[in-house]
Amino acid sequence: MIRSVVRGSGSALPKRCVSNEELAQTVDTSDEWIVERSGIRQRYVAGEGETTSSLAIDAAKAACADAGVDPTTIDLIVLATATPDNTFPATATKVQDALGCNGGIAFDVAAVCSGFLYALATADSMLRTGMARRALVIGAETFSRILDWEDRTTCVLFGDGAGAVLLEAQDSDEAGPGVITSRLHADGAQHDLLYVDGGPSTTQTVGHVRMKGREVFRHAVVNLAEVLGEVLEESGLSIDDVDWVVPHQANARILDATARKLGIPAERVVVTVDRHANTSAASVPLALDVARKDGRIKSGDLVMLEAMGGGFTWGASLIRM
Ligand code: UT7
């Protein structure tokens, strides 16, 4: 069978790291509140010259280098973002040009915090059906640019960054490497719990993030536990077979509650929310790259990715590394 095999990963962060204490100098908040309610200790914030595309390009180049793959041989780029450089064209096309692989397929996916899961499932389908052979799946955000820095209920929670995974269509078998299965969901009825109050067709402005945090939290734990169960059932595997869970990094308490609900030991959950905060579509590939590079996630490991975000959208993927 043809499977989409992970050949490499890469990530990129802005230069400037902002601690909770630094934030508390300009916003009515405290390190104690942020750590206790979210587990976040710091976040990276893009400065002048740093954009979603510049972070995505750095992450993509790092993934190619990690895989030992010539970037000009990439024939598919799927980039998940809610903070594109421009309304159009897709930020993916800027990445394509920077890598010098012009002529292949390049487009953006908008599913906010679940964007990487949507992008991965899309790229996997295209690789398995022969539309492309080598794909970069990227999650990249400069969420700092759509935050209302006077709204303490949102601005302390998010950060900027990018992560990329290089997938290649390869012959594999049931027990072999590659993306095993993915499940995606959306529920448009929950629009008002997490959205941006602007856009080209409504206000002709970019808008700011608005969130009813407590309600999002409640839905997140239920939806994530459900979709993880679906992916396991479909693959005929059990939670005990999973070596690592790489979740969307929104809140340490969501990670704990979901793990408890599913009976996953905390030691098998990759947590980076303390250092990156919530980087939306970038959070899963950033965390995956951290755990691959520090040696936790190894070849042959069974890895579960999951995310939930605005829309609502949510999803999970099971991958043999
Ligand atoms: O990535 C997409 C998915 N997003 C998420 O998954 C986010 C989900 N939600 C959450 O992570 C949590 O709900 C938050 C971290 C956003 C908030 O935690 P919470 O325990 O649900 O707090 P809360 O919203 O119920 O607020 C508790 C109190 C409020 O004060 P009152 O009304 O009790 O007097 C807030 O005004 O904390 C206050 N508060 C703050 N205080 C200090 C809210 N933000 C802050 C702040 N600093 N930054």
Side-chain angles (χ1 to χ4, degrees), residues 27-30 33-34 37-38 113 152-154 156-158 194 211-218 220 248-251 253-254 278 280 308-310:
V27 182
D28 180 19
T29 189
S30 65
W33 190 94
I34 302 171
R37 301 293 175 125
S38 71
C113 298
R152 68 174 184 173
T153 70
T154 52
V156 304
L157 301 173
F158 294 91
L194 178 51
M211 176 167 75
K212 298 200 171 85
R214 207 179 302 182
E215 284 160 77
V216 177
F217 189 112
R218 192 167 50 80
H248 171 48
Q249 310 285 323
N251 185 319
R253 289 187 296 138
I254 296 181
N278 181 349
S280 181
M308 140 102 190

Coordinates of all heavy atoms in Angstrom, one line a residue, residues 27-30 33-34 37-38 113 152-154 156-158 194 211-218 220 248-251 253-254 278 280 308-310, ligand 1:
V27 N -0.5 44.6 30.8 CA -1.8 44.0 30.8 C -2.1 43.7 32.3 O -1.3 43.3 33.0 CB -1.9 42.7 30.0 CG1 -3.3 42.2 29.9 CG2 -1.4 42.9 28.6
D28 N -3.4 43.9 32.7 CA -3.8 43.6 34.0 C -3.9 42.1 34.3 O -5.0 41.5 34.2 CB -5.2 44.2 34.3 CG -5.7 44.0 35.7 OD1 -4.9 43.6 36.6 OD2 -6.9 44.1 35.9
T29 N -2.7 41.5 34.5 CA -2.7 40.0 34.7 C -1.5 39.7 35.6 O -0.8 40.6 36.1 CB -2.6 39.3 33.4 OG1 -2.7 37.9 33.6 CG2 -1.2 39.5 32.6
S30 N -1.2 38.4 35.9 CA -0.1 38.1 36.7 C 0.5 36.7 36.2 O -0.3 35.9 35.6 CB -0.5 37.9 38.1 OG -1.4 36.9 38.3
W33 N -1.6 33.9 37.7 CA -2.9 33.6 37.1 C -2.6 32.8 35.8 O -3.3 31.8 35.6 CB -3.7 34.8 36.8 CG -5.1 34.5 36.4 CD1 -6.2 34.5 37.2 CD2 -5.5 34.2 35.0 NE1 -7.3 34.1 36.4 CE2 -6.9 34.0 35.1 CE3 -4.9 34.1 33.8 CZ2 -7.7 33.6 34.0 CZ3 -5.7 33.7 32.7 CH2 -7.0 33.5 32.8
I34 N -1.7 33.3 35.0 CA -1.5 32.6 33.6 C -1.0 31.2 33.8 O -1.5 30.3 33.2 CB -0.5 33.4 32.8 CG1 -1.1 34.9 32.6 CG2 -0.3 32.8 31.4 CD1 -0.1 35.8 31.9
R37 N -3.9 28.9 35.4 CA -5.1 28.7 34.5 C -4.8 28.0 33.2 O -5.6 27.4 32.6 CB -5.9 30.0 34.2 CG -6.4 30.7 35.4 CD -7.5 29.9 36.1 NE -7.9 30.6 37.3 CZ -9.1 30.9 37.6 NH1 -10.1 30.6 36.8 NH2 -9.4 31.5 38.8
S38 N -3.5 28.2 32.7 CA -3.2 27.7 31.4 C -1.9 26.9 31.3 O -1.7 26.2 30.3 CB -3.1 28.9 30.4 OG -1.9 29.7 30.7
C113 N -6.9 26.5 14.8 CA -6.0 25.6 15.7 C -6.0 24.2 15.2 O -5.1 23.4 15.5 CB -6.4 25.7 17.1 SG -6.3 27.3 17.8
R152 N -7.3 41.0 28.3 CA -6.5 40.1 29.0 C -7.0 38.6 28.9 O -6.2 37.7 29.2 CB -6.4 40.5 30.5 CG -7.7 40.3 31.3 CD -7.5 40.6 32.7 NE -8.7 40.4 33.5 CZ -8.8 40.5 34.8 NH1 -7.7 40.8 35.5 NH2 -10.0 40.3 35.4
T153 N -8.2 38.4 28.6 CA -8.8 37.1 28.5 C -8.3 36.3 27.3 O -8.4 35.1 27.2 CB -10.3 37.0 28.5 OG1 -10.8 37.5 27.3 CG2 -10.9 37.9 29.7
T154 N -7.7 37.0 26.3 CA -7.1 36.3 25.1 C -5.6 36.6 24.9 O -4.9 35.6 24.6 CB -7.9 36.7 23.8 OG1 -7.9 38.1 23.8 CG2 -9.3 36.2 23.8
V156 N -3.0 36.9 26.6 CA -1.9 36.2 27.4 C -1.8 34.8 26.9 O -0.8 34.1 27.3 CB -2.2 36.2 28.9 CG1 -2.4 37.6 29.4 CG2 -3.5 35.4 29.2
L157 N -2.7 34.3 26.0 CA -2.8 32.8 25.8 C -2.0 32.4 24.5 O -1.8 31.2 24.3 CB -4.2 32.4 25.6 CG -5.1 32.7 26.9 CD1 -6.6 32.3 26.5 CD2 -4.6 31.8 28.1
F158 N -1.8 33.4 23.6 CA -1.3 33.0 22.2 C 0.1 33.4 22.0 O 0.7 34.3 22.6 CB -2.2 33.6 21.2 CG -3.6 33.0 21.2 CD1 -4.6 33.6 22.0 CD2 -4.0 31.8 20.5 CE1 -5.9 33.1 22.0 CE2 -5.2 31.3 20.6 CZ -6.2 31.9 21.3
L194 N -15.6 31.2 19.5 CA -14.2 31.5 19.2 C -14.1 31.9 17.7 O -14.3 31.2 16.8 CB -13.3 30.2 19.4 CG -11.9 30.2 19.0 CD1 -11.1 31.4 19.7 CD2 -11.2 28.9 19.5
M211 N -13.0 35.2 22.3 CA -13.2 33.8 22.7 C -13.9 33.7 24.1 O -13.6 34.5 25.0 CB -11.8 33.1 22.9 CG -11.9 31.7 23.5 SD -10.4 30.8 23.3 CE -9.4 31.5 24.6
K212 N -14.9 32.8 24.1 CA -15.5 32.5 25.4 C -14.8 31.3 26.0 O -15.1 30.1 25.7 CB -17.0 32.2 25.2 CG -17.8 33.4 24.7 CD -19.3 33.2 25.0 CE -20.0 34.5 24.6 NZ -20.4 34.6 23.2
G213 N -13.7 31.6 26.7 CA -12.7 30.5 27.0 C -13.3 29.3 27.8 O -12.9 28.2 27.5
R214 N -14.1 29.6 28.8 CA -14.6 28.6 29.6 C -15.4 27.5 28.8 O -15.3 26.3 29.0 CB -15.5 29.1 30.8 CG -15.4 28.2 32.0 CD -16.3 28.8 33.1 NE -15.8 30.2 33.5 CZ -16.3 30.9 34.5 NH1 -17.3 30.4 35.2 NH2 -15.9 32.0 34.8
E215 N -16.2 28.1 27.9 CA -17.1 27.2 27.1 C -16.3 26.4 26.0 O -16.5 25.2 25.8 CB -18.2 28.0 26.4 CG -19.3 28.3 27.3 CD -20.1 29.5 26.9 OE1 -21.0 29.2 26.0 OE2 -19.9 30.6 27.4
V216 N -15.2 27.1 25.5 CA -14.3 26.4 24.5 C -13.7 25.2 25.3 O -13.6 24.1 24.7 CB -13.3 27.4 23.9 CG1 -12.3 26.6 23.0 CG2 -13.9 28.5 23.2
F217 N -13.2 25.5 26.4 CA -12.5 24.5 27.3 C -13.4 23.2 27.4 O -13.0 22.1 27.2 CB -12.3 25.1 28.7 CG -11.4 24.3 29.5 CD1 -10.1 24.7 29.9 CD2 -11.8 23.1 30.1 CE1 -9.3 23.9 30.7 CE2 -11.0 22.3 30.9 CZ -9.7 22.7 31.2
R218 N -14.7 23.5 27.8 CA -15.6 22.3 28.0 C -15.8 21.5 26.7 O -15.7 20.3 26.8 CB -16.9 22.9 28.5 CG -17.9 22.0 29.0 CD -19.1 22.7 29.7 NE -19.7 23.8 28.9 CZ -20.6 23.6 27.9 NH1 -21.0 22.4 27.7 NH2 -21.1 24.6 27.2
A220 N -13.7 21.4 24.2 CA -12.5 20.8 23.8 C -12.2 19.4 24.3 O -11.9 18.5 23.6 CB -11.3 21.7 24.1
H248 N -2.7 19.6 20.4 CA -2.7 21.0 20.3 C -2.4 21.6 21.6 O -3.0 21.2 22.6 CB -4.1 21.5 19.7 CG -4.2 23.0 19.7 ND1 -3.3 23.8 19.2 CD2 -5.2 23.8 20.2 CE1 -3.7 25.1 19.4 NE2 -4.9 25.1 19.9
Q249 N -1.6 22.6 21.7 CA -1.1 23.2 22.9 C -1.9 24.5 23.3 O -1.4 25.6 23.0 CB 0.4 23.5 22.8 CG 1.2 22.3 22.3 CD 1.4 21.2 23.4 OE1 1.6 21.5 24.6 NE2 1.4 20.0 22.9
A250 N -3.1 24.3 23.8 CA -3.9 25.5 24.1 C -3.8 25.8 25.6 O -3.8 26.9 26.0 CB -5.3 25.3 23.7
N251 N -3.9 24.7 26.4 CA -4.0 24.9 27.8 C -3.5 23.6 28.5 O -4.1 22.5 28.2 CB -5.4 25.2 28.2 CG -5.6 25.5 29.6 OD1 -5.1 24.9 30.5 ND2 -6.4 26.5 29.9
R253 N -4.3 22.4 31.3 CA -5.4 21.7 31.9 C -6.2 21.0 30.9 O -6.8 19.9 31.3 CB -6.3 22.8 32.7 CG -5.6 23.3 33.9 CD -6.5 24.2 34.7 NE -6.9 25.4 34.0 CZ -8.2 25.8 34.0 NH1 -9.1 25.2 34.7 NH2 -8.5 26.9 33.3
I254 N -6.4 21.4 29.7 CA -7.1 20.6 28.7 C -6.3 19.4 28.4 O -6.9 18.3 28.2 CB -7.3 21.5 27.4 CG1 -8.2 22.7 27.6 CG2 -7.9 20.6 26.3 CD1 -8.4 23.5 26.4
N278 N -0.2 29.1 23.0 CA -1.0 28.6 21.9 C -0.6 29.2 20.6 O -0.9 30.4 20.4 CB -2.5 28.8 22.3 CG -3.5 28.3 21.2 OD1 -3.1 27.8 20.2 ND2 -4.7 28.2 21.6
S280 N -1.8 28.2 17.7 CA -2.8 27.9 16.7 C -2.3 26.7 15.8 O -1.9 25.7 16.3 CB -3.2 29.1 16.0 OG -4.3 28.8 15.0
M308 N -8.1 21.0 18.3 CA -9.4 21.6 18.3 C -9.4 23.1 18.3 O -8.5 23.7 18.9 CB -10.1 21.1 19.6 CG -11.0 22.0 20.3 SD -12.7 21.7 19.9 CE -13.5 23.1 20.6
G309 N -10.2 23.7 17.5 CA -10.2 25.2 17.5 C -11.4 25.8 16.9 O -12.5 25.2 16.8
G310 N -11.3 27.1 16.5 CA -12.4 27.9 16.0 C -13.2 27.3 14.9 O -12.6 26.6 14.0
Ligands
UT7_1 O1 -6.9 27.0 20.7 C1 -8.3 27.0 20.6 C2 -8.8 26.4 21.7 N1 -8.8 27.4 22.8 C3 -8.8 26.9 24.0 O2 -8.8 25.7 24.2 C4 -8.9 27.8 25.2 C5 -9.9 27.1 26.2 N2 -10.1 27.9 27.4 C6 -9.1 28.1 28.4 O3 -8.0 27.7 28.2 C7 -9.5 28.7 29.7 O4 -10.9 28.8 29.7 C8 -8.8 30.1 29.9 C9 -7.4 29.9 30.2 C10 -9.1 31.0 28.7 C11 -9.5 30.8 31.1 O5 -9.4 30.0 32.3 P1 -10.7 29.8 33.2 O6 -10.3 29.0 34.3 O7 -11.8 29.2 32.3 O8 -11.0 31.3 33.7 P2 -12.3 32.1 33.4 O9 -12.4 32.5 32.0 O10 -13.5 31.5 34.0 O11 -12.0 33.4 34.2 C12 -11.8 33.4 35.6 C13 -11.5 34.8 36.1 C14 -12.5 35.9 35.6 O12 -12.7 36.7 36.7 P3 -14.1 36.6 37.5 O13 -15.2 36.9 36.4 O14 -14.2 35.3 38.1 O15 -14.0 37.8 38.4 C15 -11.7 36.6 34.6 O16 -12.0 37.9 34.4 O17 -10.2 35.2 35.7 C16 -10.3 36.5 35.1 N3 -9.2 36.6 34.1 C17 -8.0 37.0 34.3 N4 -7.3 37.4 35.4 C18 -6.0 37.7 35.3 C19 -9.4 36.3 32.8 N5 -8.2 36.5 32.2 C20 -7.3 36.9 33.1 C21 -6.0 37.2 33.0 N6 -5.3 37.6 34.2 N7 -5.2 37.2 31.9

